[in-house]
Amino acid sequence: MSINYQLSRFYRAYAKADQIAPSTLPEVVFAGRSNVGKSTLLNALLGNKNLAKTSSKPGKTATINFFEVPGCYYVDLPGYGYAQVSKSERENWAKLINGYFEQDRRLALVVSLVDIRHPANKLDVQMERFLMDHGFPFAVVLTKADKIGKQVRQRQVGVLREGLGLPETTPMLITSATDKTGIREVRSMIEKAVREA
Ligand SMILES: Nc1nc2c(ncn2[C@@H]2O[C@H](COP(=O)(O)OP(=O)(O)OP(=O)(O)O)[C@@H](O)[C@H]2O)c(=O)[nH]1
Ligand SMILES: [Mg+2]
């Protein structure tokens, strides 16, 4: 049976990790550097441009935002690695993100977003390592594919798999929220992970 994404809605925003309600449903988490396109991808997957707030300026999502989706929650995390904020703000975000992952939650899948245009960044390498070390189920979603040609995309898949230190078994999907490349594939990957969670 197909999921009626139209029923999705904003659930809650948490400014502190210890305020997050215990998990009831499986959770699909969107993680990645600030401005990589987490909130935009979430909106594309749910078919509603206005659900999660997006911005061309990094640092838009500053709380952990839960969205109710039939059968699961989507969790939009604040982005890491945005240099232009104060040290205390950065520390607060790190605390939020770590605080979330330290909890005993029903993680169906961590969707780890990486900009397809650039070589592997140190912070992205750290994130993938963190996910692997903790044994979290995760997949890498490459964003903003509309900004480069088809051949470069394929090349970047290899470059980033190597650069991020990912084994062949880690799923890596090419997406664009702008032209909807790969959105169907990400949806079905998430649905499968939720069914199996
Ligand atoms: N061309 C293009 N732009 C995109 C795509 N996805 C996101 N963007 C743009 O990238 C910018 C950042 O998008 P957001 O979704 O707000 O990024 P985020 O990762 O949620 O950022 P933070 O909340 O700051 O962590 C916005 O200007 C988006 O329109 C895409 O697939 N293609
Ligand atoms: Mg965001």
Side-chain angles (χ1 to χ4, degrees):
M1 225 185 66
S2 73
I3 292 167
N4 185 359
Y5 286 99
Q6 309 275 21
L7 299 174
S8 305
R9 60 184 189 88
F10 174 74
Y11 177 60
R12 274 193 71 176
Y14 298 100
K16 290 209 167 90
D18 59 13
Q19 296 169 339
I20 304 172
S23 337
T24 46
L25 294 170
E27 293 172 9
V28 178
V29 191
F30 297 82
R33 278 165 54 96
S34 195
N35 210 45
V36 69
K38 297 176 292 300
S39 303
T40 305
L41 177 72
L42 190 147
N43 286 341
L45 292 168
L46 299 180
N48 182 343
K49 277 200 166 106
N50 303 313
L51 265 182
K53 302 265 188 325
T54 65
S55 169
S56 56
K57 284 188 294 216
K60 181 66 187 176
T61 309
T63 48
I64 295 188
N65 297 337
F66 274 59
F67 296 84
E68 242 179 40
V69 180
C72 67
Y73 285 110
Y74 278 16
V75 181
D76 190 14
L77 293 180
Y80 50 83
Y82 175 44
Q84 267 64 55
V85 295
S86 69
K87 193 170 170 237
S88 69
E89 246 179 308
R90 261 204 312 263
E91 282 169 0
N92 190 39
W93 289 4
K95 234 165 75 185
L96 248 185
I97 297 168
N98 289 331
Y100 173 84
F101 282 113
E102 277 164 10
Q103 293 173 11
D104 185 22
R105 309 205 64 86
R106 281 182 72 187
L107 280 187
L109 189 68
V110 182
V111 180
S112 176
L113 280 73
V114 176
D115 193 317
I116 196 168
R117 293 170 296 171
H118 309 303
N121 166 281
K122 199 175 104 191
L123 292 168
D124 291 331
V125 175
Q126 269 174 27
M127 184 69 192
E128 308 314 333
R129 179 115 310 278
F130 173 85
L131 296 172
M132 285 189 275
D133 287 350
H134 286 76
F136 294 137
F138 78 102
V140 172
V141 164
L142 304 176
T143 63
K144 310 194 183 184
D146 57 282
K147 296 200 179 223
I148 57 172
K150 291 227 161 82
Q151 280 188 343
V152 188
R153 295 180 195 181
Q154 283 313 323
R155 192 182 334 131
Q156 280 302 93
V157 171
V159 166
L160 283 164
R161 188 181 291 283
E162 168 89 27
L164 295 168
L166 297 169
E168 286 299 323
T169 48
T170 304
M172 241 175 148
L173 283 79
I174 298 173
T175 69
S176 160
T178 302
D179 66 19
K180 304 291 180 267
T181 298
I183 297 302
R184 205 156 34 95
E185 288 77 6
V186 176
R187 252 190 222 133
S188 58
M189 173 179 71
I190 289 174
E191 288 172 15
K192 181 165 179 282
V194 169
R195 278 197 304 274
E196 291 169 359

